[in-house]
Amino acid sequence: QVQLVESGGGLVQTGDSLRLSCVFSGRPLSNKAMAWFRQAPGKEREFVAGITWNGGTTQLTDSVKGRFTISRDNRKNTVYLQMNSLKPEDTAVYYCAADVNTMTIINYYRQSYDYWGQGTQVTVSS
């Protein structure tokens, strides 16, 4: 019964900030690579940010570099996505995912990830 639960989404205005949280339980994931994806209506689910098991390496998609930061606190079984300077094009459902086969490699494709949260809605108005 592996479970990933996202929280922190909401409705904000352009330029505002949000911090998303993903709490995992049911099996140890503190030594696994994890990531955030997002999916807007009518579009494919896309990679946003990834982090290695101990937070030593992170990767962000080009459209969010300089604005978003991914981090984790394994003592709290939690992964975070800090989102600053939000834009309307950031509007999407944001999903947390875990790759049980990887601890030091960050994969970019959704097929690589084994467990997913239910998603949290982020809406950015003009």
Side-chain angles (χ1 to χ4, degrees):
Q1 58 270 34
V2 177
Q3 189 171 23
L4 284 68
V5 180
E6 303 99 332
S7 63
L11 174 62
V12 297
Q13 297 181 7
T14 298
D16 285 350
S17 297
L18 285 172
R19 189 176 79 158
L20 306 184
S21 298
C22 172
V23 179
F24 49 87
S25 62
R27 71 169 289 173
L29 294 175
S30 296
N31 63 343
K32 304 299 182 182
M34 300 189 70
W36 289 93
F37 286 73
R38 67 185 180 187
Q39 187 166 20
K43 296 184 178 180
E44 297 284 345
R45 189 171 301 186
E46 66 173 352
F47 176 87
V48 177
I51 189 166
T52 53
W53 74 279
N54 63 351
T57 302
T58 62
Q59 184 61 265
L60 300 169
T61 194
D62 286 344
S63 63
V64 307
K65 286 181 178 177
R67 300 189 297 120
F68 290 12
T69 303
I70 186 171
S71 62
R72 68 193 297 166
D73 186 345
N74 287 332
R75 296 169 297 177
K76 299 180 179 179
N77 293 333
T78 303
V79 178
Y80 304 97
L81 184 66
Q82 178 67 45
M83 305 184 294
N84 299 325
S85 301
L86 283 163
K87 305 175 180 180
E89 49 263 48
D90 295 317
T91 295
V93 177
Y94 283 71
Y95 297 91
C96 180
D99 184 348
V100 302
N101 299 302
T102 301
M103 60 185 296
T104 59
I105 299 295
I106 299 171
N107 288 306
Y108 294 89
Y109 305 106
R110 65 182 184 274
Q111 294 87 348
S112 298
Y113 291 85
D114 304 282
Y115 298 106
W116 295 85
Q118 80 288 349
T120 186
Q121 177 71 48
V122 173
T123 303
V124 186
S125 64
S126 300

